[in-house]
Amino acid sequence: MKNEILKIQCLTFEYQPGHPVLEDISLSISQGEKIAVMGSNGAGKSTFFLHLNGVLFPKTGKIYYRGEQIKGKNIKELRRNVGFVFQDADNQMIASTVQAEVAFGPMNLKLPREEVKIRVEQALSYMDLDTYRERPPHYLSGGEKKRVSIADIIAMKSEVILFDEPTAALDPVSAGVLEQVLEDLSREEKTLLVSTHDVDFAYRWADRIVIFHQGKILADGNAMEVFLDGDLLRQAHLKKPEMLIVYETLLEQGLIREGSYPRQAVALEDAMKQLV
Amino acid sequence: MIKVMRHHRSHSHGTASIDFYACQSGLRHWNGPYKVFSSLFILVLCLGLDHPWISVFVILTIGTVNLFGNRISFLNYFELLKMPFAFLLLGSAAVAIGISKQMVGQVFFSLGGWNFYVTKEGMLQSMELFLKSMAAVSSLYLLALSTPASELVSVLRSIHMPKVLAELMNMVYRFIFILFEVQREMRIAAASRLGDVDFKTSCCTFGQIGGNLLILALKKANTYYDAMVSRGYEGELLFWEEEKPIEFWQYLLLAGYFAVLVLARFCLLSES
């Protein structure tokens, strides 16, 4: 088993007394995991992310980062090591140029000026934003803003990155770029949690799927365990991924290797070739 | 048959504001305090040297800098100058025209015993005033078109304006665009449901949009705070400021311009 990076124990939270938004959440997250957090609107995904990031503090329950319990004092540790890419990039940007925006996090980490500069350079070129550095964020398009909001977090070199519905409101090309970035980040051993409604994306990308329902964890398992469970999907307002339906149809016709469960189009081709 | 529409990607984002020009200016990379100082210095020189030919010279030279240095098209620059031009024209007219009960100067209009007149001196004086003001406006445009608002704030901060004010200005600058955007969206949404069908409904819609904006602003403020905290905000807005050193030739440029203006003034003085 890999290093455990985050552990959440019996977390409960409510905005108003008597109306719990999160109830008895327990989860253990290892380094380098690719987790899709799913569930209907208002299931508590965003609130859960705000806890992992140290913006909200649990009413009861504990959060551990690398075995150390997070309390009021070391909550900064959590904010430093867990980055949060918000759903609406506009809600995240405060500086008046792209460069200053990306530098905001590193500046808050109180890094020396030289280090800030290096990190900003790296983050900008990582997200292919070199030519945008002097532009004010309000003159960027939606996809460009999203890239800036990811560069924001990359510059902080967080070990865990939370994405709140990153593909919402992105055009297919921008969404493709985003998936590539997720792929690159996980190759660098970053731990990624992505909240999404897109079952096809989750099936394609995630190693592990956590489903929230009315403030509780309804299911937690790998993609196959979750998406083959029809009752579970119905309860969580989810649908079976298209790729899985295609696989099942092909299997019925005897055109694909049994148990191959291809998750990407490329893998589908392979699974069908190997049959012949 | 699929019809493919190809559009040129335009960079006009609704309102092409002065701020937008400032961001694409060729002088963007020049030192901020230098730009502020030189614009104000030229402004003071125009007023101090006080000669119509000096004013004309400044209007032409600074105009050239605005066109080529700040990379504004002639048409856009003309648009920008139109408003102060009209305003100053009316202002100077008021200086040139006198009202008197006596018959003085060149009377061109009389009403109930009051004579509206112009004199040669008055005309010359108002002309000089007009040119001087236009030169002053040009040199202020030199500043506005080369320096984005955020850079101005950082200049103000460097001359020890209270930190709270500087942070507030930065926030206001960022949020004003968001507020405009949200307001625009709501107005369009209202219009698409006949919210502006007549005057009374329009007024009602306007009020509702205003109220909604307030509530939205409060909600947005919360989200922003969360986003800032999540990136380590601890009560002080730390923004990256680019270091832009002043080149030696830039000092020379300003000194040269100053010398030319003063010399020209002396020549004009000895001539008259």
Side-chain angles (χ1 to χ4, degrees), chain A residues 53 55 76 79 86 90-97 99 101 103-104 107-108 113 134 136 138-139 152, chain B residues 17 20 23 28 150 173-174 177 220 224 226-227 229-234 238-243:
Chain A
N53 188 216
V55 174
K76 281 179 200 159
R79 289 177 194 161
F86 282 73
D90 258 327
N91 287 346
Q92 187 180 320
M93 300 196 180
I94 51 156
S96 33
T97 63
Q99 182 167 241
E101 167 64 24
F104 183 70
M107 295 281 278
N108 284 331
R113 207 181 147 84
E134 295 285 333
H138 41 261
Y139 296 129
D152 283 352
Chain B
S17 56
F20 183 75
C23 289
R28 173 87 193 264
S150 55
Y173 170 70
R174 173 77 185 103
F177 286 94
K220 280 228 175 218
Y224 260 96
D226 283 353
V229 166
S230 95
R231 284 204 281 154
Y233 169 72
E234 280 162 14
L238 301 167
F239 282 124
W240 173 264
E241 279 160 15
E242 195 67 17
E243 273 171 358

Side-chain angles (χ1 to χ4, degrees), chain A residues 172-183:
Chain A
V173 172
S174 303
V177 170
L178 184 99
E179 263 185 62
Q180 189 54 49
V181 169
L182 289 178
E183 217 44 69

Side-chain angles (χ1 to χ4, degrees), chain B residues 109-176:
Chain B
F109 182 69
S110 307
L111 190 80
W114 294 93
N115 299 315
F116 291 76
Y117 69 92
V118 285
T119 58
K120 202 181 167 206
E121 294 79 52
M123 284 292 267
L124 273 176
Q125 196 194 0
S126 81
M127 179 86 150
E128 276 175 29
L129 188 68
F130 174 76
L131 286 172
K132 208 157 61 175
S133 321
M134 278 311 276
V137 166
S138 303
S139 57
L140 280 182
Y141 266 137
L142 177 67
L143 177 63
L145 294 173
S146 67
T147 318
S150 55
E151 208 179 320
L152 272 181
V153 174
S154 76
V155 171
L156 287 174
R157 194 191 274 222
S158 71
I159 56 167
H160 301 291
M161 191 176 72
K163 218 181 249 170
V164 185
L165 279 180
E167 287 188 359
L168 215 60
M169 284 172 79
N170 260 323
M171 289 304 245
V172 167
Y173 170 70
R174 173 77 185 103
F175 282 105
I176 216 147

Side-chain angles (χ1 to χ4, degrees), chain A residues 59-73:
Chain A
K59 190 173 165 255
T60 58
K62 292 165 188 159
I63 297 176
Y64 297 87
Y65 177 77
R66 291 198 181 279
E68 208 172 308
Q69 194 188 337
I70 297 298
K71 293 179 183 150
K73 263 184 200 161

Side-chain angles (χ1 to χ4, degrees), chain B residues 178-240:
Chain B
I178 294 171
L179 218 57
F180 269 137
E181 183 62 26
V182 173
Q183 188 265 349
R184 196 182 62 95
E185 276 166 16
M186 284 204 275
R187 208 186 55 223
I188 293 170
S192 79
R193 285 172 293 158
L194 296 180
D196 55 358
V197 69
D198 55 37
F199 183 68
K200 203 180 150 208
T201 326
S202 294
C203 291
C204 203
T205 308
F206 180 75
Q208 277 171 339
I209 287 177
N212 262 342
L213 266 183
L214 180 70
I215 292 166
L216 267 178
L218 288 175
K219 268 183 84 177
K220 280 228 175 218
N222 269 329
T223 333
Y224 260 96
Y225 184 71
D226 283 353
M228 278 159 67
V229 166
S230 95
R231 284 204 281 154
Y233 169 72
E234 280 162 14
E236 192 188 342
L237 275 176
L238 301 167
F239 282 124
W240 173 264

